[in-house]
Amino acid sequence: MKKVSDNMKIKILAVGKIKEKYLQEGIAEYSKRISRYVKLEFVEVSDLKAPENISDADKENIKNKEGESLLKKIGDDYVVALCINGNEYDSISFAKKLQDTFDHGNSDISFIIGGSLGLSEDVIKRASATVSFSKLTFPHQ
């Protein structure tokens, strides 16, 4: 990715807090690396606890409440929802997608990471694009 204007920003919106020190250190390292190219902002919203034997209706209710919190933080951003059914890219094509997004006048891009139950349909509908980093399931952190 080439150096972009100082007024371009990538925002990472996530449900829940990063508690593990090694993840915090990794985030700090990659934040330092990417800051040469764009401004980077992290926004965390509270996650709601889901009991082990939760009903499907309660799962949707939790996702919807978390989704409302996320949507309040987005504004007019170009939104990329990170979800298992999103489009997959290799590193080069993903970098090109980001550059093309900036080149077409989108100065703020928000990447949305859902909680342990995933993203609400409202968040996915609001997204300009969906991306999957893998079909494998990873901890949402």
Side-chain angles (χ1 to χ4, degrees), residues 4-111:
V4 295
S5 169
D6 288 334
N7 62 354
M8 296 195 180
K9 180 171 57 176
I10 290 179
K11 189 184 324 180
I12 312 283
L13 287 108
V15 174
K17 294 205 174 287
I18 302 296
K19 298 174 184 103
E20 292 83 0
K21 186 176 179 181
Y22 76 96
L23 291 174
Q24 293 171 343
E25 290 169 351
I27 289 169
E29 175 62 28
Y30 280 96
S31 296
K32 184 174 75 174
R33 292 180 189 191
I34 200 170
S35 67
R36 294 180 15 207
Y37 304 101
V38 295
K39 292 179 184 175
L40 185 62
E41 177 184 358
F42 288 93
V43 178
E44 296 172 334
V45 300
S46 297
D47 58 338
L48 301 173
K49 302 300 175 214
E52 203 158 305
N53 293 325
I54 189 170
S55 70
D56 289 343
D58 286 339
K59 285 180 186 178
E60 287 304 310
N61 189 34
I62 287 173
K63 287 194 309 187
N64 289 336
K65 286 181 180 177
E66 291 173 345
E68 288 171 13
S69 295
L70 291 166
L71 290 169
K72 287 178 185 175
K73 306 286 186 184
I74 292 172
D76 293 330
D77 300 1
Y78 182 92
V79 175
V80 179
L82 302 178
C83 52
I84 198 162
N85 294 322
N87 296 309
E88 290 188 51
Y89 298 91
D90 60 29
S91 295
I92 293 170
S93 60
F94 186 64
K96 183 176 179 347
K97 170 81 171 157
L98 285 178
Q99 190 63 57
D100 288 348
T101 301
F102 283 129
D103 289 346
H104 285 94
N106 299 295
S107 61
D108 295 338
I109 300 176
S110 285
F111 288 90

